[in-house]
């Protein structure tokens, strides 16, 4: 049996000299199972004070006034890519990371299940 998930995709364009330019993309789960991306967004909103910044292909989170993101979530078809500064590592992270090409100060990893996603977020943002 395959889970059926339906998404609402909203894309905003700006037309400059007759040429459309993609400004942002927003993906919302509207029917079916809950995506890993939605779980991560909910967890970050509930457990941190980071502000979300929706971009074309990802959502970046940072504190007001910060120049760099403290977390970047990128939805993929079967997993969510999580990027974060190496300084956020508390020594508890037991996942394989690699340097992020878009954010050179950050590490990234692909997470494909809910338990690993929650554990990673709790390791990056420990509750005090």
């Amino acid at each position: 049996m395959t889970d059926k998930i339906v998404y609402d995709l909203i894309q905003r364009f700006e037309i400059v000299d007759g040429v459309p330019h993609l400004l942002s993309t927003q993906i919302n789960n509207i029917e079916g199972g809950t995506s890993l991306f939605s779980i991560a967004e909910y967890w970050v909103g509930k457990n941190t004070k980071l502000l979300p910044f929706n971009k074309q292909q990802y959502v970046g989170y940072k504190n007001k006034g910060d120049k760099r993101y403290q977390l970047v979530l990128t939805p993929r078809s079967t997993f969510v890519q999580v990027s974060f500064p190496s300084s956020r590592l508390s020594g508890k992270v037991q996942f394989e990371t690699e340097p992020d090409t878009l954010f050179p100060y950050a590490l990234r990893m692909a997470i494909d299940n809910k338990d690993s996603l929650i554990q990673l977020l709790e390791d990056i943002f420990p509750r005090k």
Side-chain angles (χ1 to χ4, degrees):
M1 183 171 139
T2 304
D3 286 337
K4 178 182 174 183
I5 302 174
V6 178
Y7 295 97
D8 184 24
L9 176 65
I10 301 169
Q11 293 186 312
R12 291 185 174 87
F13 291 88
E14 176 181 50
I15 307 296
V16 178
D17 296 328
V19 179
H21 296 277
L22 183 63
L23 296 176
S24 67
T25 299
Q26 184 177 1
I27 301 171
N28 296 311
N29 182 8
I30 60 172
E31 180 184 318
T34 303
S35 71
L36 290 172
F37 184 74
S38 298
I39 291 169
E41 281 190 308
Y42 176 78
W43 191 96
V44 172
K46 180 180 173 193
N47 295 297
T48 73
K49 294 183 180 181
L50 298 174
L51 302 172
F53 293 86
N54 292 319
K55 300 297 180 185
Q56 289 181 358
Q57 303 299 324
Y58 63 87
V59 176
Y61 293 87
K62 60 184 172 180
N63 293 309
K64 187 174 183 177
D66 282 356
K67 292 184 180 184
R68 292 185 171 182
Y69 292 121
Q70 296 300 307
L71 180 71
V72 177
L73 301 174
T74 307
R76 300 289 189 232
S77 59
T78 59
F79 63 93
V80 64
Q81 181 175 297
V82 180
S83 301
F84 55 92
S86 58
S87 61
R88 300 251 11 137
L89 286 175
S90 63
K92 297 179 184 177
V93 176
Q94 301 292 323
F95 302 94
E96 282 190 39
T97 61
E98 63 182 41
D100 194 302
T101 53
L102 185 58
F103 306 100
Y105 61 89
L107 299 173
R108 73 175 175 195
M109 62 184 59
I111 303 293
D112 63 359
N113 68 71
K114 178 183 176 180
D115 293 334
S116 295
L117 176 61
I118 298 300
Q119 183 61 52
L120 173 65
L121 293 172
E122 288 178 351
D123 286 349
I124 296 171
F125 302 100
R127 296 181 204 181
K128 297 177 182 176

